[in-house]
Amino acid sequence: MSADAPFFEWLCRLGDNTLVLGHRVSEWCGRGPALEEDIALANISLDLIGQTQMWLTLAGEVENAGRSADDLAMLRDAWDFRNALLVEQPNGDFGRTMMRQFLFDHFHLLQLQTLADSADQRVADIAAKAVKEVTYHVERSTEVVIALGDGTEESHSRMQAALDWAWPYVGELFASDAIDVQIAERGIAPLPDTLRVAYDQRVTSALTKATLTVPEGRFAHSGGKSGFRHSEHLGHMLTQMQWLQRAYPGAQW
C-alpha cells in the first residue's frame, strides 16, 4: 500500500510522460532526415529519460514499497501507466514527430516553471534541473515547426496535417481531476487547467509565425489520467521497450 497514494500517482504521471515520449523520440536514432536532426532528437530523448529517472525514483520513495525507477519503468503493464495520450502517439513522418514535440514541450516548460516553486523541495529541485533542458527543447521544436510551416508548399501541408492530427490530444494535458486537486491543495503543483491561457498564447504565437491554423475545438481524446486506455499504441511500444527486462528478469546495465 502506498504511503502517499495521491503523490505517487501524480509523480508517475510526470515520469511516465517523459519516459514514453523519450522512448518515442529515441526511435528516430539513426533515422533522422539530417545528421543535425538525428543528433538533436537523440539528445532530447536522453534528456527526457534522465528526467524520468528522477521522477520515478522519487515516486518509488514515496510509494515505499521497494520499487526502483527501473521497476516502475520496466515492470508495469500498459494499464498502470499514467502518461498523456499525446506522448505515446506513433512518430509518423518527421512533421508529426516535431508537432507532437512542440505541443508537449510548451506544456512541459510551463509545468516545470511552476514546479520550481513547489512546496515540496524534492519536486522543486527536480524541476529546476529539468527546466534548463526543456527550455532548449522548446526553442528547438518551435524553430523547426516555424521553418517547416512557413516553408515550401509541401512542408506547410504536412505540418498543417500534423497539427490537425495532434491538436485533439492537447486538452488532456490540462484536464484536472481529484488527484490534481489534492496536489494543488498541498502546494505541490498548481491545477493543470491554470496553465492553459499561457499555453494558448505561446503556442498560437508560434503557429501564427508558422502560417498554420489551429483546429477548432480544444480536445477530443482523454483517458491517460484515469488509467482507462483506449489506445493500443502504448502496449505495442512497451513490448519493445520492456523486452530485455522481461526476458531477463533482474538484468542490470
Side-chain angles (χ1 to χ4, degrees):
M1 180 66 67
S2 171
D4 190 344
F7 194 20
F8 170 74
E9 169 88 7
W10 180 80
L11 288 166
C12 283
R13 293 176 182 180
L14 272 67
D16 290 350
N17 276 342
T18 53
L19 172 62
V20 172
L21 184 58
H23 184 81
R24 275 290 186 228
V25 175
S26 76
E27 293 174 350
W28 276 98
C29 188
R31 302 175 58 207
L35 180 59
E36 181 182 2
E37 301 302 334
D38 198 295
I39 294 173
L41 289 172
N43 286 332
I44 289 169
S45 175
L46 289 172
D47 288 344
L48 292 169
I49 297 302
Q51 293 164 25
T52 299
Q53 180 74 26
M54 293 188 288
W55 290 126
L56 293 187
T57 293
L58 180 55
E61 294 172 1
V62 169
E63 184 187 33
N64 196 30
R67 289 200 287 182
S68 67
D70 281 351
D71 293 332
L72 291 172
M74 301 298 177
L75 299 179
R76 284 181 296 156
D77 287 314
W79 49 81
D80 292 321
F81 275 70
R82 295 295 182 263
N83 59 279
L85 292 173
L86 173 65
V87 300
E88 71 183 55
Q89 298 310 305
N91 289 326
D93 63 21
F94 185 67
R96 279 196 174 193
T97 290
M98 293 312 301
M99 184 58 70
R100 182 190 62 200
Q101 193 70 36
F102 165 80
L103 294 174
F104 181 76
D105 284 346
H106 278 276
F107 164 76
H108 198 196
L109 182 58
L110 281 168
Q111 182 184 54
L112 291 171
Q113 288 171 334
T114 61
L115 295 183
D117 295 322
S118 174
D120 189 291
Q121 191 59 49
R122 298 167 297 179
V123 170
D125 289 344
I126 294 173
K129 293 178 182 179
V131 75
K132 299 175 183 178
E133 297 172 338
V134 176
T135 297
Y136 163 73
H137 298 178
V138 167
E139 292 173 353
R140 179 72 184 175
S141 62
T142 300
E143 288 176 359
V144 173
V145 166
I146 292 174
L148 293 177
D150 192 30
T152 66
E153 181 178 347
E154 174 71 13
S155 68
H156 173 83
S157 175
R158 287 189 178 226
M159 293 310 292
Q160 184 62 58
L163 178 59
D164 294 343
W165 161 77
W167 188 255
Y169 295 99
V170 168
E172 185 189 14
L173 300 172
F174 303 94
S176 300
D177 64 4
I179 296 293
D180 294 309
V181 171
Q182 293 181 59
I183 294 300
E185 290 175 345
R186 293 163 60 177
I188 297 173
L191 289 172
D193 55 23
T194 63
L195 306 178
R196 186 67 200 251
V197 172
Y199 177 87
D200 284 346
Q201 291 174 342
R202 296 184 186 186
V203 165
T204 300
S205 175
L207 292 176
T208 298
K209 294 178 182 177
T211 67
L212 298 174
T213 303
V214 176
E216 295 184 5
R218 284 203 164 185
F219 65 97
H221 303 292
S222 62
K225 285 189 173 184
S226 69
F228 171 74
R229 309 205 62 87
H230 55 258
S231 169
E232 62 184 13
H233 299 309
L234 181 65
H236 291 163
M237 194 201 80
L238 291 182
T239 298
Q240 298 176 338
M241 188 181 80
Q242 297 179 335
W243 178 86
L244 181 63
Q245 186 61 256
R246 290 179 179 273
Y248 301 96
Q252 297 182 354
W253 53 88

